[in-house]
Amino acid sequence: MSQFQDIIAYFEDSGLAESIRENDTLFPSIESVHVIAICLVVGSILVLDLRLLGLASIHRPVSRLAGAILPVTWSAFAIAATSGFLLFISNATKYLENGYFVAKICLICAAGVNMLIFHGISARDLSQWEKEPRPPLRARLAGAVSILLWIAVVACGRWIGFTMQVL
């Protein structure tokens, strides 16, 4: 057995995972927290992305908007990741066999890469354009790609529930 499979088995066979699997209310409660956290993540990111596209909050500097929004985004992301991990360990093997789950994780990673590219390249000269109603093309592209990626994350997340095989 590979080391990865050993780690998956360790979590999936844990008492916590068993409790989540076997308790009638624990899984749906964690899932509800996960969905609410994802809504906050996507909603807060959407506010900033729409600003980058020049479609909303055009009279607010990008850095000021980001400063107000990103603490909510990161807090909600931490809750979403924690609740998502708890859902995952309840049936890790089946989740890893689910193409929508794998796609969701890959898309979240791609959204992270998009963010890193934006901050590393597009936002280097932020002070020169952040007050403009219409940011430069590279910033608008980062916003558009982000929106598309997060819509795909939500769609894949929704399809996970429809495609998971019942135990």
Side-chain angles (χ1 to χ4, degrees), residues 4-143:
F4 180 71
Q5 289 171 322
D6 290 342
I7 293 169
I8 295 304
Y10 171 80
F11 283 113
E12 192 171 35
D13 296 339
S14 70
L16 178 58
E18 184 179 343
S19 294
I20 294 167
R21 255 190 323 271
E22 301 299 325
N23 186 297
D24 289 340
T25 59
L26 198 50
F27 187 95
S29 297
I30 295 168
E31 188 173 37
S32 296
V33 168
H34 185 69
V35 168
I36 291 167
I38 288 291
C39 288
L40 286 170
V41 169
V42 175
S44 62
I45 289 171
L46 185 61
V47 169
L48 192 54
D49 289 341
L50 289 174
R51 172 60 182 101
L52 291 176
L53 288 170
L55 299 175
S57 302
I58 59 173
H59 300 295
R60 293 187 73 186
V62 173
S63 63
R64 189 167 149 218
L65 186 62
I69 297 281
L70 290 180
V72 173
T73 305
W74 284 111
S75 297
F77 185 81
I79 293 167
T82 302
S83 57
F85 177 75
L86 292 173
L87 296 171
F88 170 74
I89 66 169
S90 72
N91 204 356
T93 304
K94 291 290 185 193
Y95 278 106
L96 289 173
E97 293 171 354
N98 185 293
Y100 290 105
F101 174 80
V102 173
K104 179 180 176 180
I105 299 304
C106 291
L107 288 163
I108 290 169
C109 291
V113 169
N114 182 57
M115 177 193 66
L116 290 173
I117 291 170
F118 170 75
H119 286 288
I121 297 172
S122 302
R124 276 189 303 195
D125 59 350
L126 180 66
S127 62
Q128 295 173 11
W129 58 262
E130 73 168 337
K131 293 180 183 175
E132 297 296 322
R134 186 177 165 124
L137 178 61
R138 64 187 183 279
R140 294 193 314 270
L141 286 173

